[in-house]
Amino acid sequence: MTTTTIYHYTLPDAEATWTLLATERGICGLLYNEEQLPEARAWLEKHRPGSRWRADRVPFETFGATDRLMRYFGGERVGFEDIPMELLGTPFQREVWSALSRIPYGEVWTYGRLAEELGRSKATRAVGAANGRNPLPVLLPCHRVVGANGTLTGYRGGLTMKKRLLALEGIEHVDDRGHERFRF
């Protein structure tokens, strides 16, 4: 059995601590803060048992992720569609996560619309749950998904972070009806 190397690198960002995770195949995780690292290690051990961890910026530069993320956080409109990603989850989760990339920059969709885009209009709650488990926020823009009434309902990184990401894209008209501690 081949041992997988999990690469990690923390981006320098004044407003948040973003830690990138990758295998040799592509980016597999983007953490909101380093406190999520133990949870991420357990999740990756489930998908890549016996992996070894290595701090290394080079894979992320090779994949083109570090430069584009820094430009995105600096307010520049950039795309992430050609960055190699290794989505580790159930087939349904991967289907939902892949669909997130179809939400255009500067727009928001509801969970219902996302479910409809997948041809699963009756699976709104399941789509919402999968969205909440997205391991690649920003790269697969789960922050662009809002409640049926067009309001913020929750975000694993916190509603303050969701508002910040939406504001970077010029979206400031979304009301906050969720609760900051509500995370999924």
Side-chain angles (χ1 to χ4, degrees), residues 142-157:
C142 55
H143 62 279
R144 296 180 189 154
V145 183
V146 297
N149 62 359
T151 62
L152 303 179
T153 57
Y155 193 61
R156 198 160 95 205

Side-chain angles (χ1 to χ4, degrees), residues 65-140:
T66 51
D67 176 61
R68 275 189 260 178
L69 281 166
M70 294 305 293
R71 289 175 25 222
Y72 175 85
F73 293 132
E76 189 176 328
R77 182 179 184 154
V78 295
F80 302 107
E81 52 281 332
D82 62 334
I83 291 177
M85 298 178 203
E86 183 175 8
L87 300 179
L88 303 172
T90 68
F92 178 75
Q93 287 173 327
R94 291 191 310 266
E95 179 183 1
V96 172
W97 299 336
S98 293
L100 292 170
S101 66
R102 296 197 298 262
I103 304 173
Y105 182 97
E107 290 185 26
V108 293
W109 287 5
T110 64
Y111 293 99
R113 175 163 180 202
L114 184 58
E116 288 172 13
E117 290 286 327
L118 292 166
R120 298 173 179 265
S121 60
K122 296 196 186 295
T124 302
R125 286 180 186 230
V127 165
N131 187 64
R133 301 296 303 164
N134 175 17
L136 292 169
V138 180
L139 298 174
L140 298 173

Side-chain angles (χ1 to χ4, degrees), residues 2-7 22-25 48 50-54:
T2 305
T3 301
T4 301
T5 299
I6 305 295
Y7 300 96
T23 67
E24 65 282 344
R25 293 182 185 152
R48 296 291 179 261
S51 297
R52 66 176 184 250
W53 286 65
R54 183 170 145 196

